[in-house]
Amino acid sequence: MQSNYYFPKGGHPPQSNLLTDRAIFTEAYAILPKGVMRDIVTSYLPHWTNTRLWVLSRPLSGFAETFSQYIMEVGPSGGSERPETDPGAEAVLFVVDGEFHLTIGGKSHLMQPGGYAFIPPGAEWSLRNDASMPTRFHWFRKAYEKVDGIPVPEPIITNEREIAPTPMPETDGRWLTTRFVDPLDMRHDMHVTIVTFEPGAVIPFMETHVMEHGLYVLEGKAVYRLNADWVEVEAGDYMWLRAFCPQACYAGGPGKFRYLLYKDVNRHMALGGSGRFA
Protein backbone atom coordinates (compact mmCIF):
# COMPACT_ATOMS: atom_id res chain seq x y z
CA MET A 1 0.00 0.00 0.00
CA GLN A 2 1.37 3.39 -1.04
CA SER A 3 2.13 5.88 1.73
CA ASN A 4 2.10 9.68 1.78
CA TYR A 5 4.15 9.73 4.99
CA TYR A 6 7.83 10.58 4.82
CA PHE A 7 10.35 8.04 6.05
CA PRO A 8 14.19 8.04 6.05
CA LYS A 9 15.88 6.80 2.89
CA GLY A 10 19.29 6.28 4.50
CA GLY A 11 22.35 6.37 2.25
CA HIS A 12 25.14 8.96 2.43
CA PRO A 13 25.60 12.36 0.77
CA PRO A 14 28.49 12.87 -1.67
CA GLN A 15 31.82 14.23 -0.45
CA SER A 16 31.10 17.41 -2.41
CA ASN A 17 28.16 18.39 -0.18
CA LEU A 18 28.36 21.42 2.09
CA LEU A 19 28.35 20.59 5.80
CA THR A 20 25.77 23.26 6.63
CA ASP A 21 22.38 21.85 7.59
CA ARG A 22 19.43 22.70 9.83
CA ALA A 23 20.34 20.44 12.77
CA ILE A 24 19.97 22.28 16.10
CA PHE A 25 20.39 21.13 19.69
CA THR A 26 19.55 23.52 22.52
CA GLU A 27 18.52 23.17 26.16
CA ALA A 28 14.90 23.96 25.17
CA TYR A 29 14.48 22.11 21.87
CA ALA A 30 16.25 20.08 19.21
CA ILE A 31 15.83 19.75 15.44
CA LEU A 32 16.91 16.59 13.63
CA PRO A 33 16.38 17.36 9.93
CA LYS A 34 15.78 14.51 7.53
CA GLY A 35 19.23 15.06 6.00
CA VAL A 36 20.99 13.73 9.13
CA MET A 37 19.17 10.38 9.11
CA ARG A 38 21.84 8.47 7.21
CA ASP A 39 23.15 4.91 7.29
CA ILE A 40 26.03 5.80 9.59
CA VAL A 41 23.71 6.90 12.44
CA THR A 42 21.50 3.79 12.52
CA SER A 43 21.35 1.48 15.53
CA TYR A 44 20.47 -2.17 16.16
CA LEU A 45 18.54 -3.96 18.92
CA PRO A 46 18.87 -7.35 20.64
CA HIS A 47 16.40 -10.06 19.56
CA TRP A 48 15.56 -8.25 16.29
CA THR A 49 16.53 -9.71 12.90
CA ASN A 50 17.08 -7.85 9.60
CA THR A 51 16.25 -4.61 11.40
CA ARG A 52 17.87 -1.22 11.91
CA LEU A 53 16.56 1.99 13.46
CA TRP A 54 17.08 5.71 13.83
CA VAL A 55 16.86 6.89 17.45
CA LEU A 56 15.09 10.26 17.52
CA SER A 57 14.78 10.72 21.29
CA ARG A 58 16.07 8.96 24.38
CA PRO A 59 16.04 9.75 28.11
CA LEU A 60 19.18 11.81 28.58
CA SER A 61 20.37 14.66 30.76
CA GLY A 62 19.38 17.84 28.94
CA PHE A 63 17.23 15.96 26.44
CA ALA A 64 14.08 13.82 26.51
CA GLU A 65 12.96 12.82 30.00
CA THR A 66 9.72 10.88 29.63
CA PHE A 67 10.09 8.78 26.46
CA SER A 68 12.16 7.34 23.64
CA GLN A 69 11.22 7.36 19.97
CA TYR A 70 12.62 5.25 17.13
CA ILE A 71 12.04 4.98 13.39
CA MET A 72 12.25 1.23 12.76
CA GLU A 73 13.17 -0.27 9.39
CA VAL A 74 12.45 -4.00 9.20
CA GLY A 75 13.49 -5.89 6.08
CA PRO A 76 11.76 -8.92 4.51
CA SER A 77 11.48 -11.84 6.95
CA GLY A 78 12.73 -9.52 9.71
CA GLY A 79 11.18 -8.77 13.06
CA SER A 80 11.27 -10.04 16.61
CA GLU A 81 9.70 -12.60 18.93
CA ARG A 82 11.07 -10.63 21.91
CA PRO A 83 10.80 -6.98 20.84
CA GLU A 84 10.66 -5.36 24.28
CA THR A 85 13.17 -6.12 27.07
CA ASP A 86 11.61 -3.81 29.69
CA PRO A 87 8.43 -5.27 31.28
CA GLY A 88 7.43 -1.81 32.53
CA ALA A 89 7.48 -0.16 29.10
CA GLU A 90 4.34 0.71 27.18
CA ALA A 91 4.50 1.34 23.45
CA VAL A 92 2.83 3.00 20.50
CA LEU A 93 3.62 1.89 16.95
CA PHE A 94 2.67 4.01 13.92
CA VAL A 95 3.25 2.69 10.40
CA VAL A 96 4.60 5.02 7.70
CA ASP A 97 5.60 2.55 4.95
CA GLY A 98 5.08 -1.08 3.99
CA GLU A 99 3.27 -3.60 6.15
CA PHE A 100 3.89 -6.18 8.85
CA HIS A 101 2.05 -8.59 11.11
CA LEU A 102 1.77 -7.58 14.75
CA THR A 103 0.76 -10.31 17.20
CA ILE A 104 -0.52 -9.29 20.65
CA GLY A 105 -1.83 -11.86 23.10
CA GLY A 106 -1.85 -14.52 20.39
CA LYS A 107 -3.95 -12.47 17.92
CA SER A 108 -2.35 -11.34 14.64
CA HIS A 109 -3.04 -7.95 13.03
CA LEU A 110 -1.94 -6.73 9.59
CA MET A 111 -0.47 -3.26 10.05
CA GLN A 112 -0.32 -0.91 7.03
CA PRO A 113 0.44 2.82 6.54
CA GLY A 114 -1.58 4.87 8.98
CA GLY A 115 -1.81 1.90 11.33
CA TYR A 116 -1.68 2.64 15.06
CA ALA A 117 -1.08 0.17 17.88
CA PHE A 118 -1.01 0.84 21.62
CA ILE A 119 0.76 -1.95 23.52
CA PRO A 120 0.37 -1.94 27.33
CA PRO A 121 3.28 -2.76 29.65
CA GLY A 122 3.89 -6.45 30.19
CA ALA A 123 1.98 -7.49 27.06
CA GLU A 124 3.27 -10.42 25.03
CA TRP A 125 3.79 -9.26 21.47
CA SER A 126 5.83 -10.00 18.38
CA LEU A 127 6.33 -8.47 14.95
CA ARG A 128 7.23 -9.92 11.56
CA ASN A 129 7.57 -8.52 8.06
CA ASP A 130 6.27 -11.21 5.69
CA ALA A 131 6.29 -8.87 2.68
CA SER A 132 8.97 -8.63 -0.01
CA MET A 133 9.81 -4.98 0.78
CA PRO A 134 11.00 -3.23 3.97
CA THR A 135 8.51 -1.72 6.39
CA ARG A 136 9.04 1.43 8.43
CA PHE A 137 7.25 2.53 11.57
CA HIS A 138 7.65 4.78 14.60
CA TRP A 139 8.06 3.12 17.97
CA PHE A 140 7.34 5.23 21.06
CA ARG A 141 8.38 3.77 24.43
CA LYS A 142 7.53 5.09 27.87
CA ALA A 143 7.81 3.75 31.42
CA TYR A 144 4.15 3.31 32.34
CA GLU A 145 3.10 5.16 35.49
CA LYS A 146 0.65 2.97 37.41
CA VAL A 147 -1.92 4.63 39.66
CA ASP A 148 -3.67 2.83 42.51
CA GLY A 149 -7.28 2.08 41.59
CA ILE A 150 -6.81 2.71 37.85
CA PRO A 151 -6.34 -0.38 35.62
CA VAL A 152 -3.73 -0.67 32.88
CA PRO A 153 -5.34 0.01 29.47
CA GLU A 154 -5.97 -2.73 26.94
CA PRO A 155 -4.23 -2.92 23.54
CA ILE A 156 -5.58 -0.70 20.78
CA ILE A 157 -5.28 -1.53 17.07
CA THR A 158 -6.67 0.93 14.55
CA ASN A 159 -5.78 3.12 11.55
CA GLU A 160 -5.97 6.88 11.19
CA ARG A 161 -8.32 6.37 8.23
CA GLU A 162 -10.90 5.00 10.69
CA ILE A 163 -10.86 8.08 12.94
CA ALA A 164 -12.48 11.43 12.21
CA PRO A 165 -10.11 14.29 13.11
CA THR A 166 -11.28 16.73 15.78
CA PRO A 167 -11.22 20.43 14.78
CA MET A 168 -9.63 22.81 17.24
CA PRO A 169 -12.19 25.37 18.50
CA GLU A 170 -12.58 28.59 16.49
CA THR A 171 -10.33 27.46 13.61
CA ASP A 172 -12.99 26.69 10.94
CA GLY A 173 -11.54 23.21 10.63
CA ARG A 174 -8.11 24.45 9.53
CA TRP A 175 -6.34 22.92 12.56
CA LEU A 176 -7.31 19.34 13.38
CA THR A 177 -6.13 16.57 15.70
CA THR A 178 -6.54 12.84 15.08
CA ARG A 179 -6.85 11.27 18.54
CA PHE A 180 -6.41 7.54 18.99
CA VAL A 181 -7.22 7.66 22.73
CA ASP A 182 -9.93 9.52 24.65
CA PRO A 183 -8.13 12.46 26.37
CA LEU A 184 -10.24 11.86 29.51
CA ASP A 185 -9.25 8.19 29.83
CA MET A 186 -7.06 8.30 32.95
CA ARG A 187 -5.63 4.86 32.24
CA HIS A 188 -3.38 6.43 29.59
CA ASP A 189 -0.32 8.48 30.60
CA MET A 190 0.82 9.34 27.06
CA HIS A 191 -0.89 10.35 23.86
CA VAL A 192 0.38 9.96 20.31
CA THR A 193 -1.77 11.95 17.89
CA ILE A 194 -1.64 13.36 14.35
CA VAL A 195 -1.93 17.12 13.99
CA THR A 196 -3.03 18.57 10.64
CA PHE A 197 -2.87 22.18 9.47
CA GLU A 198 -4.40 23.42 6.24
CA PRO A 199 -2.19 25.86 4.25
CA GLY A 200 -2.10 29.19 6.05
CA ALA A 201 -3.33 27.81 9.37
CA VAL A 202 -1.47 28.80 12.53
CA ILE A 203 -1.01 28.12 16.21
CA PRO A 204 -1.95 31.70 17.06
CA PHE A 205 -0.22 32.01 20.44
CA MET A 206 2.97 30.84 22.12
CA GLU A 207 1.96 27.55 23.74
CA THR A 208 3.90 27.16 26.99
CA HIS A 209 2.96 24.04 28.97
CA VAL A 210 4.17 21.16 31.10
CA MET A 211 3.93 18.46 28.41
CA GLU A 212 7.10 17.26 26.73
CA HIS A 213 6.78 16.83 22.96
CA GLY A 214 8.24 14.78 20.16
CA LEU A 215 7.06 15.94 16.69
CA TYR A 216 7.85 14.09 13.46
CA VAL A 217 6.73 15.83 10.26
CA LEU A 218 4.80 13.35 8.12
CA GLU A 219 3.82 15.69 5.28
CA GLY A 220 4.29 19.27 4.11
CA LYS A 221 6.30 22.15 5.52
CA ALA A 222 5.93 25.01 7.99
CA VAL A 223 7.73 27.58 10.08
CA TYR A 224 7.87 26.74 13.79
CA ARG A 225 8.55 29.20 16.60
CA LEU A 226 10.59 27.38 19.26
CA ASN A 227 11.61 29.37 22.31
CA ALA A 228 13.09 32.56 20.74
CA ASP A 229 13.74 31.14 17.24
CA TRP A 230 11.83 30.70 13.99
CA VAL A 231 12.80 27.36 12.39
CA GLU A 232 11.76 26.02 8.98
CA VAL A 233 10.72 22.35 9.01
CA GLU A 234 9.51 19.94 6.35
CA ALA A 235 8.46 16.30 5.89
CA GLY A 236 11.02 14.01 7.50
CA ASP A 237 12.22 16.49 10.13
CA TYR A 238 11.97 15.74 13.85
CA MET A 239 11.49 18.21 16.71
CA TRP A 240 11.96 17.57 20.42
CA LEU A 241 10.46 20.20 22.73
CA ARG A 242 11.28 20.33 26.40
CA ALA A 243 8.44 20.96 28.86
CA PHE A 244 7.56 24.67 28.92
CA CYS A 245 9.39 25.42 25.65
CA PRO A 246 7.32 28.21 24.03
CA GLN A 247 5.98 27.08 20.66
CA ALA A 248 3.84 28.31 17.78
CA CYS A 249 3.47 27.41 14.11
CA TYR A 250 2.62 28.81 10.69
CA ALA A 251 1.77 26.33 7.91
CA GLY A 252 2.90 27.91 4.66
CA GLY A 253 1.57 25.36 2.15
CA PRO A 254 1.14 24.62 -0.67
CA GLY A 255 -0.21 21.37 0.83
CA LYS A 256 -1.25 20.24 4.29
CA PHE A 257 1.26 20.25 7.12
CA ARG A 258 0.95 17.11 9.26
CA TYR A 259 3.00 15.74 12.11
CA LEU A 260 3.02 12.83 14.55
CA LEU A 261 2.95 14.20 18.10
CA TYR A 262 3.94 12.63 21.44
CA LYS A 263 3.05 14.11 24.81
CA ASP A 264 2.95 12.88 28.42
CA VAL A 265 -0.42 13.37 30.14
CA ASN A 266 -2.74 12.56 33.03
CA ARG A 267 -0.26 12.12 35.88
CA HIS A 268 1.08 14.09 38.85
CA MET A 269 4.43 15.75 38.31
CA ALA A 270 7.26 13.48 39.47
CA LEU A 271 9.01 14.82 42.59
CA GLY A 272 12.53 14.25 43.85
CA GLY A 273 14.20 13.57 40.49
CA SER A 274 15.11 15.19 37.19
CA GLY A 275 12.56 13.07 35.29
CA ARG A 276 10.59 9.88 35.32
CA PHE A 277 13.57 7.88 34.12
CA ALA A 278 15.75 9.26 36.94
Side-chain angles (χ1 to χ4, degrees):
M1 178 178 293
Q2 187 169 354
S3 166
N4 291 325
Y5 314 115
Y6 189 93
F7 55 86
K9 308 301 193 298
H12 284 123
Q15 291 283 294
S16 57
N17 264 27
L18 291 175
L19 300 181
T20 305
D21 205 339
R22 295 174 293 116
I24 303 171
F25 191 96
T26 76
E27 63 180 13
Y29 71 90
I31 304 292
L32 276 65
K34 63 182 181 181
V36 306
M37 298 180 200
R38 302 290 185 170
D39 292 352
I40 198 171
V41 297
T42 54
S43 299
Y44 302 88
L45 294 175
H47 309 305
W48 284 81
T49 60
N50 198 17
T51 298
R52 66 178 184 172
L53 62 147
W54 287 269
V55 178
L56 302 180
S57 286
R58 55 165 289 186
L60 185 71
S61 174
F63 195 32
E65 292 189 342
T66 62
F67 75 113
S68 66
Q69 183 174 348
Y70 312 148
I71 300 178
M72 304 290 290
E73 182 180 89
V74 182
S77 300
S80 178
E81 294 295 320
R82 298 177 58 190
E84 179 57 74
T85 57
D86 184 346
E90 60 186 327
V92 164
L93 311 182
F94 183 81
V95 188
V96 292
D97 184 54
E99 63 182 38
F100 58 84
H101 282 92
L102 173 67
T103 301
I104 305 178
K107 185 176 181 180
S108 180
H109 307 268
L110 179 62
M111 304 294 293
Q112 296 179 320
Y116 169 101
F118 169 77
I119 304 172
E124 293 186 5
W125 62 285
S126 62
L127 186 151
R128 181 174 174 83
N129 178 10
D130 292 317
S132 59
M133 299 295 290
T135 182
R136 287 101 175 175
F137 59 94
H138 288 257
W139 182 2
F140 299 84
R141 299 172 66 244
K142 183 180 181 296
Y144 182 70
E145 297 177 68
K146 293 183 179 180
V147 176
D148 184 46
I150 297 179
V152 174
E154 300 92 1
I156 299 172
I157 306 293
T158 187
N159 192 292
E160 76 146 314
R161 297 190 302 271
E162 301 171 4
I163 299 173
T166 301
M168 294 294 287
E170 302 178 24
T171 63
D172 296 323
R174 301 181 63 78
W175 173 8
L176 307 106
T177 301
T178 302
R179 295 189 172 97
F180 300 98
V181 172
D182 182 350
L184 299 181
D185 187 342
M186 290 295 112
R187 298 176 302 167
H188 289 272
D189 65 357
M190 74 166 171
H191 290 163
V192 175
T193 63
I194 297 176
V195 179
T196 300
F197 291 94
E198 296 292 337
V202 300
I203 298 177
F205 70 105
M206 293 295 288
E207 292 189 31
T208 308
H209 53 64
V210 70
M211 292 173 286
E212 182 178 29
H213 278 342
L215 296 86
Y216 180 85
V217 183
L218 296 168
E219 303 177 45
K221 62 180 181 177
V223 181
Y224 238 92
R225 177 65 180 256
L226 300 173
N227 203 10
D229 306 315
W230 283 103
V231 181
E232 288 186 290
V233 292
E234 63 179 348
D237 292 346
Y238 178 73
M239 292 175 274
W240 165 76
L241 281 61
R242 188 174 189 167
F244 298 107
C245 175
Q247 57 194 270
C249 172
Y250 174 81
K256 295 180 179 181
F257 176 60
R258 308 186 75 221
Y259 56 78
L260 192 63
L261 172 68
Y262 161 90
K263 56 185 175 182
D264 54 315
V265 297
N266 296 343
R267 292 296 185 268
H268 278 294
M269 305 304 101
L271 303 177
S274 61
R276 294 182 184 127
F277 284 81

